[in-house]
Amino acid sequence: MAATGRASVRPVERHGAPPRPAGRSRSVAPRRPSPSPSRARPAAADNDGVSDSCRVRVAVRLRPKNSDDLAHGADFDGCVELQPECKKLKLKKNNWSCESYKFDEVFSENASQKRVYEVVAKPSVLEGYNGTVMAYGQTGTGKTYTVGRLGKDDPSERGIMVRALEHILSVMSLETDSVAISFLQLYLESVQDLLAPEKTNIPIVEDPKTGEVSLPGAAIVEIRDLEHVFQLLQIGEMNRHAANTKMNTESSRSHAILIVHIQRSLRIKDESNTSLPNGTNDLFPDNLPLVLKSKLLIVDLAGSERIDKSGSEGHMIEEAKFINLSLTSLGKCINALAENSPHIPTRDSKLTRILRDSFGGTARTSLIVTIGPSSRHFSETSSTIMFGQRAMKIVNTIRIKEEVDYESLYKKVEREVDHLTSEMERQQKLKNSEKMQLEKKLKESEASLNDLKVTSNMQIENMVMEKREMESTIKRLMLDLEKEKGKNNLLSQQIIHLETSLDDNKQKQLENISNTNILADTTKSHEKKIRELLRQLEDERSCSASMNDHLNVLQQQLSDAQNCFQENIACELEKQLSRTTEEFGSQIRSLEEKIAEVISEKDLVYEELKSMQERMQQVIRHKQGLEDEILRLKQSLADNCTEESKALSGIVRSGSGLGSVAFMSKSGKSRELLSSQRSNISKIFEEVGLPNVLALLKSDELEVQIHAVKVIANLAAEDINQEKIVEEGGLDALLSLLETSENTTIHRVTAGAIANLAMNGSNQGLIMNKGGARLLANIASKTDDPQTLRMVAGALANLCGNEKLHVMLKQDGGIKALLGMFRTGHNEVIAQIARGMANFAKCESRGGVSNAFAVLSKIGHRKGRSLLIEEGVLNWMVANSSAFSASTRRHIELAFCHLAQNEDNARDIILTGGIKELLRISRESSRDDTRNLAKKALNSNPAFFKEIQ
């Protein structure tokens, strides 16, 4: 089993373009540079304008003689004569009648696989062209050997598929380019995936605008290297259908198609950007990323064969019939193109639809026709040669598919925006952090300055107090000095008084000489006292002088101390103020510089924000325009709400193969209404886009929600839109709306949309796994609106067509809810219930075979009593099988007949009187298949046979 995912692989850079195939009338015009952004860059499709005419190249290859040819004497009765040097061959009908044909190349039986590849199939997809290489011829002539031979052990044996992929991988870049493959087979008109065999009946989708054919659902695997290529091709060959016939021991029973998807990256400088105004270059860079997208189809057709020659029998006859039918359709298209017919019947076969671009389209096509040498197969050889001759008349218009890689450009711009946003946030955080740090430092500096001021004030106050204490000491000393001076004055007065007394005494002595002796002692005593007083006076004077000297010294010291203290204080204050001023100056300068940087960066950020605001305004204006258009279209649809509901119900189709049930009137007025509504829906889808329509499901306005659900329901009616809706999350949005909304209209239209999605088998499992059946059952239990119940019943009926979901459907209450809607008595609701019962019973009876051509499926019968009978539906079916319209009655009869195929249901059918109903159906049913089914049940079940007797 091959991996269905896309492997991560990039091929090698190309060093030179491969040579163009021969037969070109003129060379392709040189690639034009991308237009200037100032002229509104065109869509990708506009870059596909480089085109040229190219005829389909046809080569013929002769198979060597095999043992069967030799056994029938092929050495003597060969019907082909080659002239490789002239690129001609002669086809001999007999010895005297032959015809000559000219081809682009003629390969003899000795031509090597390498030469065949280089001449015929060397791909031009690396230049951006689509290409097709196809092998056509009778069975057993070597088509699969030429195209699909692996040659893993012997490289010289490798076929076109392996050589083409080897060449592509060798010239592509692993870093910028990618190559991926899909490997399919067309078996019994069913497209099947050879890399994922579980994918069968893959749809073929054509783009209504470009006509390009695609196969949604096919596995696309990105290849890494040649070993990976061998692994994938081996898986495909193992899953391809082949059989042993008389013509070929390994005859291919299906058409094999290898699709190679190539994407190459380019960069073309747009010189016109130099004249753009400032700021525009940011939106449109000089080097736009361009991609060359191309597709190569390598087709190994199954060989045409005649039953009488190949000896096919049984199922192989059915295979041969489909092979010849598709080859006949291809031949009709080739004839019509060769004759320039106005109508090309490409839709007659799935093969011609897939090859629509290869013949008369835009691909460069090479056809190699293989023939055998034996004249026993003259008619087949002649038919093959004429097929090649007609194909040579077809001219294709090849184009280079060059697109601007808007996806990578968008991702690059998105990454840059994210980077700038994160960088802005980081810068903003850094600025805020630096600002906080600066504010913190500023506060710390202010606090230290305040502390310094407080300390300085305290020191000054202390010095002032000391000065005051010294002044008070000096005053005290001055007072003491004044007191000493007063004492000295008193002593001086006493001395003067004593001197005066001495003079008087001397006078008296002169006068009283006689009393000299008397007074001698007195005089001595007085002189002694005077000398003592003089000595005391001298002592006092010397003490006073020393005190004056001490006072002068103290005054000088005080004066010196005051001067020194003032000088120290002033110097210290000047130093501290200088340091503080310098620190504050540097901090202020740093702050100014950072503020200037912040301002400049703020200006840049402001400019960027302004630019982004302008872009957002443009987006808002565009969105507003779209919303106005939606409102206008909604208004035009509002008047037809009832008719549109009927139109929606008409496109709820069955997914079980039982046919569609139409709920819409067939009148011309209704058809015109439906056409108008689909036109409006298509216009909304093209202008608004699916993601925007899905976004409207979450709108707060009820009317917007209703009309958005109607658009989704109409889109879901087309198979091409269902996968897109699911991938974009539409199924999840519809189920969420069904669960949360209380509006009956939304319930009705949402159930219709889910019913449309349930037509696809791959969506049925998703709906069940996401609880869709439970939600539908809940709506059925809460509403009595017939239109809503009809939509719910239609959705459940489609889910009943998948046998794998029956148990889960019962557990989630889906079967009970479906049967419980009988209570309405509404004919259209009962018609949906009957269709669901028929789907359910048919899957139980036949083991859930979803494809009549699925070979690996095994048809079987469900063992055990039917889940429908367990829910008590049998009595209702017996009583009401003939009470409704023809289509409803047909579904009830079909369900009853399928229930009767299971022997475990026989007892319940007999007890409810179902034997009479089976007999009535076997005689009176309007459909042959239903009558035959009833007869088969009656004849094959012994209990029924006994009851009849």
Side-chain angles (χ1 to χ4, degrees):
M1 184 70 67
T4 58
R6 298 288 301 272
S8 174
V9 167
R10 298 289 177 190
V12 191
E13 180 63 36
R14 179 177 65 174
H15 298 292
R20 304 184 186 276
R24 290 286 303 277
S25 59
R26 60 187 178 89
S27 60
V28 179
R31 191 183 302 114
R32 295 181 297 218
S34 300
S36 170
S38 61
R39 300 193 302 272
R41 188 174 305 279
D46 296 340
N47 290 343
D48 297 344
V50 182
S51 61
D52 196 11
S53 298
C54 179
R55 179 176 60 79
V56 174
R57 289 176 50 82
V58 181
V60 61
R61 187 178 193 184
L62 179 64
R63 172 182 58 76
K65 299 179 180 66
N66 56 23
S67 58
D68 191 42
D69 295 333
L70 295 174
H72 287 81
D75 286 330
F76 304 99
D77 62 353
C79 65
V80 178
E81 179 182 342
L82 301 182
Q83 296 177 341
E85 64 280 356
C86 301
K87 299 183 179 179
K88 293 182 179 180
L89 66 80
K90 289 183 178 181
L91 183 63
K92 297 184 295 182
K93 187 172 184 180
N94 47 47
N95 292 332
W96 57 87
S97 175
C98 69
E99 294 183 1
S100 180
Y101 300 95
K102 184 176 179 63
F103 289 91
D104 292 303
E105 192 66 42
V106 174
F107 298 105
S108 68
E109 61 270 24
N110 298 321
S112 67
Q113 293 279 72
K114 180 179 180 181
R115 182 168 179 267
V116 172
Y117 167 73
E118 291 182 345
V119 174
V120 175
K122 201 166 187 179
S124 61
V125 288
L126 299 174
E127 301 173 346
Y129 299 103
N130 289 340
T132 300
V133 179
M134 187 171 70
Y136 177 90
Q138 182 189 9
T139 181
T141 55
K143 296 183 298 302
T144 302
Y145 175 81
T146 301
V147 174
R149 184 79 169 184
L150 293 181
K152 190 172 182 181
D153 298 327
D154 186 2
S156 64
E157 293 288 313
R158 291 175 181 172
I160 291 175
M161 287 183 180
V162 177
R163 292 181 183 273
L165 290 172
E166 182 180 14
H167 178 209
I168 290 170
L169 287 173
S170 66
V171 297
M172 293 186 70
S173 171
L174 289 170
E175 297 179 354
T176 58
D177 305 335
S178 67
V179 55
I181 66 170
S182 297
F183 202 6
L184 310 170
Q185 70 173 349
L186 182 60
Y187 178 68
L188 299 177
E189 276 301 289
S190 173
V191 181
Q192 302 175 4
D193 198 326
L194 292 174
L195 300 180
E198 71 276 2
K199 295 183 178 181
T200 60
N201 203 21
I202 297 173
I204 302 172
V205 178
E206 297 178 12
D207 192 321
K209 292 184 178 179
T210 64
E212 185 175 355
V213 177
S214 61
L215 297 162
I220 301 177
V221 183
E222 191 164 351
I223 58 177
R224 302 183 295 272
D225 49 34
L226 190 59
E227 187 63 31
H228 192 198
V229 171
F230 280 124
Q231 179 185 356
L232 295 177
L233 293 182
Q234 282 178 341
I235 293 173
E237 287 298 324
M238 290 171 59
N239 292 323
R240 188 179 179 187
H241 290 276
N244 184 8
T245 67
K246 293 181 179 180
M247 300 287 292
N248 189 358
T249 57
E250 294 183 2
S251 176
S252 300
R253 314 308 292 169
S254 66
H255 306 300
I257 304 166
L258 179 69
I259 305 175
V260 185
H261 305 272
I262 299 173
Q263 179 170 316
R264 306 200 67 192
S265 298
L266 300 174
R267 294 191 73 85
I268 297 180
K269 186 174 181 62
D270 191 354
E271 297 179 355
S272 61
N273 274 1
T274 56
S275 62
L276 295 177
N278 294 334
T280 311
N281 290 331
D282 295 335
L283 296 175
F284 297 96
D286 290 344
N287 291 323
L288 287 174
L290 301 179
V291 290
L292 290 178
K293 292 184 177 180
S294 54
K295 182 170 61 176
L296 173 63
L297 269 67
I298 304 177
V299 185
D300 177 17
L301 295 175
S304 60
E305 63 181 60
R306 293 185 177 180
I307 304 301
D308 55 343
K309 290 186 178 182
S310 64
S312 299
E313 57 184 14
H315 186 65
M316 292 173 60
I317 296 178
E318 189 75 12
E319 293 173 340
K321 181 177 70 174
F322 278 98
I323 291 171
N324 292 336
L325 181 64
S326 61
L327 293 176
T328 302
S329 299
L330 178 61
K332 289 180 181 179
C333 291
I334 297 296
N335 292 341
L337 288 168
E339 297 171 0
N340 292 323
S341 173
H343 172 66
I344 311 299
T346 57
R347 304 191 69 84
D348 290 354
S349 168
K350 289 187 178 181
L351 177 63
T352 53
R353 290 180 64 191
I354 294 174
L355 298 177
R356 179 176 180 177
D357 194 47
S358 302
F359 295 99
T362 62
R364 178 177 286 167
T365 302
S366 295
L367 173 66
I368 180 166
V369 295
T370 58
I371 58 177
S374 176
S375 59
R376 293 185 300 116
H377 309 299
F378 176 83
S379 60
E380 289 88 345
T381 302
S382 176
S383 175
T384 301
I385 291 173
M386 295 308 298
F387 179 90
Q389 288 290 300
R390 288 190 293 270
M392 290 179 66
K393 298 179 182 179
I394 300 174
V395 178
N396 292 348
T397 303
I398 62 174
R399 289 192 181 96
I400 294 178
K401 190 173 183 182
E402 180 181 281
E403 300 177 356
V404 176
D405 193 358
Y406 288 109
E407 183 177 357
S408 64
L409 184 61
Y410 171 77
K411 290 180 180 178
K412 179 180 178 183
V413 172
E414 192 176 43
R415 287 195 301 269
E416 291 180 356
V417 169
D418 293 339
H419 174 70
L420 289 175
T421 304
S422 61
E423 185 65 21
M424 286 173 59
E425 292 176 352
R426 190 184 66 82
Q427 291 288 346
Q428 188 65 29
K429 291 180 180 178
L430 185 60
K431 291 171 187 176
N432 293 336
S433 176
E434 291 179 352
K435 183 178 179 181
M436 293 176 64
Q437 291 179 358
L438 290 174
E439 290 178 352
K440 184 178 179 180
K441 288 182 178 179
L442 184 60
K443 290 180 180 180
E444 291 177 353
S445 300
E446 290 177 352
S448 62
L449 181 61
N450 292 331
D451 294 340
L452 183 60
K453 288 181 179 179
V454 171
T455 304
S456 300
N457 291 333
M458 291 177 64
Q459 290 178 355
I460 293 172
E461 290 177 357
N462 292 333
M463 294 175 69
V464 170
M465 291 177 65
E466 290 178 357
K467 180 180 178 182
R468 289 177 180 174
E469 290 178 356
M470 292 179 71
E471 287 178 352
S472 62
T473 303
I474 292 170
K475 288 180 180 179
R476 190 174 63 255
L477 292 173
M478 292 294 291
L479 290 175
D480 293 340
L481 183 60
E482 290 294 332
K483 290 180 179 179
E484 292 296 332
K485 286 182 178 180
K487 290 180 179 180
N488 291 336
N489 291 332
L490 181 59
L491 290 172
S492 298
Q493 290 177 1
Q494 289 178 357
I495 291 170
I496 293 171
H497 179 67
L498 290 173
E499 288 179 350
T500 305
S501 299
L502 181 59
D503 290 336
D504 291 340
N505 288 330
K506 285 180 178 181
Q507 187 68 30
K508 287 178 180 182
Q509 284 175 2
L510 292 175
E511 292 177 355
N512 299 310
I513 294 171
S514 59
N515 295 325
T516 301
N517 293 327
I518 300 168
L519 293 173
D521 296 331
T522 306
T523 301
K524 291 180 182 178
S525 63
H526 281 291
E527 287 178 356
K528 186 177 180 180
K529 289 182 181 178
I530 288 170
R531 283 193 295 273
E532 290 177 358
L533 289 172
L534 287 173
R535 189 172 59 256
Q536 291 179 357
L537 181 60
E538 289 297 330
D539 293 338
E540 291 292 337
R541 285 180 179 176
S542 61
C543 181
S544 176
S546 63
M547 289 181 67
N548 287 330
D549 294 336
H550 181 65
L551 180 61
N552 293 332
V553 171
L554 289 176
Q555 288 178 346
Q556 186 65 34
Q557 290 178 350
L558 178 60
S559 177
D560 294 339
Q562 287 179 344
N563 294 333
C564 180
F565 178 75
Q566 290 175 355
E567 291 176 358
N568 291 336
I569 290 297
C571 182
E572 186 67 26
L573 288 174
E574 288 178 359
K575 290 181 180 180
Q576 291 182 357
L577 289 174
S578 176
R579 286 196 298 271
T580 305
T581 303
E582 291 178 357
E583 291 178 358
F584 275 103
S586 62
Q587 291 178 357
I588 289 170
R589 285 192 297 273
S590 176
L591 284 173
E592 289 176 349
E593 292 175 356
K594 291 181 179 179
I595 289 171
E597 292 177 359
V598 170
I599 291 173
S600 63
E601 292 177 358
K602 180 180 178 182
D603 294 337
L604 292 176
V605 172
Y606 175 75
E607 292 296 332
E608 293 177 358
L609 290 176
K610 186 176 179 181
S611 175
M612 292 179 69
Q613 287 176 352
E614 292 176 354
R615 297 179 193 175
M616 288 299 296
Q617 289 176 357
Q618 293 176 0
V619 173
I620 291 171
R621 287 196 295 270
H622 181 65
K623 181 180 179 182
Q624 185 64 37
L626 293 177
E627 291 179 351
D628 294 340
E629 183 67 17
I630 291 172
L631 292 176
R632 184 179 65 79
L633 294 173
K634 180 185 70 176
Q635 186 64 33
S636 67
L637 292 174
D639 298 334
N640 301 323
C641 183
T642 304
E643 291 80 355
E644 188 176 26
S645 174
K646 294 180 180 180
L648 284 172
S649 66
I651 54 178
V652 178
R653 298 177 299 177
S654 169
S656 63
L658 294 177
S660 302
V661 179
F663 305 102
M664 185 181 61
S665 172
K666 299 298 182 180
S667 66
K669 182 177 179 181
S670 297
R671 286 195 296 269
E672 291 177 0
L673 174 62
L674 180 59
S675 176
S676 174
Q677 290 168 350
R678 286 183 175 175
S679 176
N680 289 334
I681 295 300
S682 177
K683 185 174 181 181
I684 292 174
F685 179 64
E686 291 179 359
E687 294 183 359
V688 179
L690 182 58
N692 292 329
V693 174
L694 292 175
L696 294 177
L697 294 177
K698 300 179 181 179
S699 174
D700 295 332
E701 297 184 15
L702 182 61
E703 289 296 323
V704 174
Q705 280 187 333
I706 292 173
H707 287 281
V709 176
K710 290 179 180 179
V711 171
I712 298 300
N714 277 277
L715 292 174
E718 302 293 336
D719 295 339
I720 190 174
N721 299 325
Q722 291 183 359
E723 185 176 359
K724 297 179 183 178
I725 292 173
V726 175
E727 288 179 353
E728 295 290 343
L731 178 58
D732 294 332
L734 290 172
L735 294 176
S736 176
L737 197 61
L738 195 65
E739 183 176 13
T740 58
S741 178
E742 298 295 335
N743 184 269
T744 303
T745 303
I746 287 182
H747 289 167
R748 180 177 69 252
V749 185
T750 304
I754 294 174
N756 289 337
L757 291 176
M759 292 185 296
N760 191 319
S762 61
N763 294 336
Q764 292 172 353
L766 292 175
I767 293 172
M768 292 299 300
N769 292 331
K770 295 178 182 293
R774 176 181 53 80
L775 294 175
L776 292 169
N778 186 34
I779 296 300
S781 66
K782 294 194 301 184
T783 184
D784 293 326
D785 178 48
Q787 300 298 331
T788 303
L789 292 175
R790 178 178 56 180
M791 295 299 179
V792 173
L796 292 173
N798 287 340
L799 294 174
C800 286
N802 192 331
E803 191 266 343
K804 297 179 181 179
L805 305 177
H806 282 182
V807 176
M808 189 184 300
L809 198 61
K810 176 178 174 61
Q811 292 174 350
D812 289 350
I815 300 175
K816 184 177 181 180
L818 181 67
L819 302 180
M821 286 185 275
F822 283 129
R823 70 182 187 278
T824 62
H826 196 278
N827 289 334
E828 292 181 348
V829 177
I830 293 176
Q832 288 298 309
I833 298 172
R835 183 171 68 86
M837 290 190 303
N839 287 345
F840 200 99
K842 180 179 179 180
C843 288
E844 281 190 333
S845 172
R846 299 186 179 180
V849 179
S850 62
N851 191 327
F853 305 124
V855 175
L856 298 179
S857 299
K858 296 181 180 179
I859 299 177
H861 297 278
R862 183 183 182 274
K863 299 301 180 182
R865 192 162 171 252
S866 171
L867 297 176
L868 286 177
I869 294 179
E870 292 177 2
E871 293 291 341
V873 74
L874 203 55
N875 288 325
W876 184 90
M877 293 175 68
V878 172
N880 297 278
S881 61
S882 59
F884 300 104
S885 63
S887 61
T888 303
R889 187 167 61 251
R890 177 171 58 86
H891 282 109
I892 295 174
E893 291 173 351
L894 190 60
F896 195 84
C897 291
H898 278 298
L899 289 175
Q901 303 301 311
N902 189 348
E903 294 181 358
D904 294 323
N905 299 332
R907 182 174 178 275
D908 295 280
I909 293 174
I910 294 170
L911 292 176
T912 56
I915 298 297
K916 294 181 180 180
E917 182 62 23
L918 280 174
L919 289 171
R920 184 194 67 78
I921 294 172
S922 66
R923 300 189 190 102
E924 301 176 4
S925 177
S926 60
R927 291 180 62 90
D928 294 337
D929 56 345
T930 306
R931 290 197 301 272
N932 293 334
L933 200 60
K935 293 176 182 178
K936 177 183 176 183
L938 291 170
N939 295 331
S940 62
N941 195 319
F944 291 164
F945 186 74
K946 181 179 179 181
E947 187 70 18
I948 293 173
Q949 288 181 339

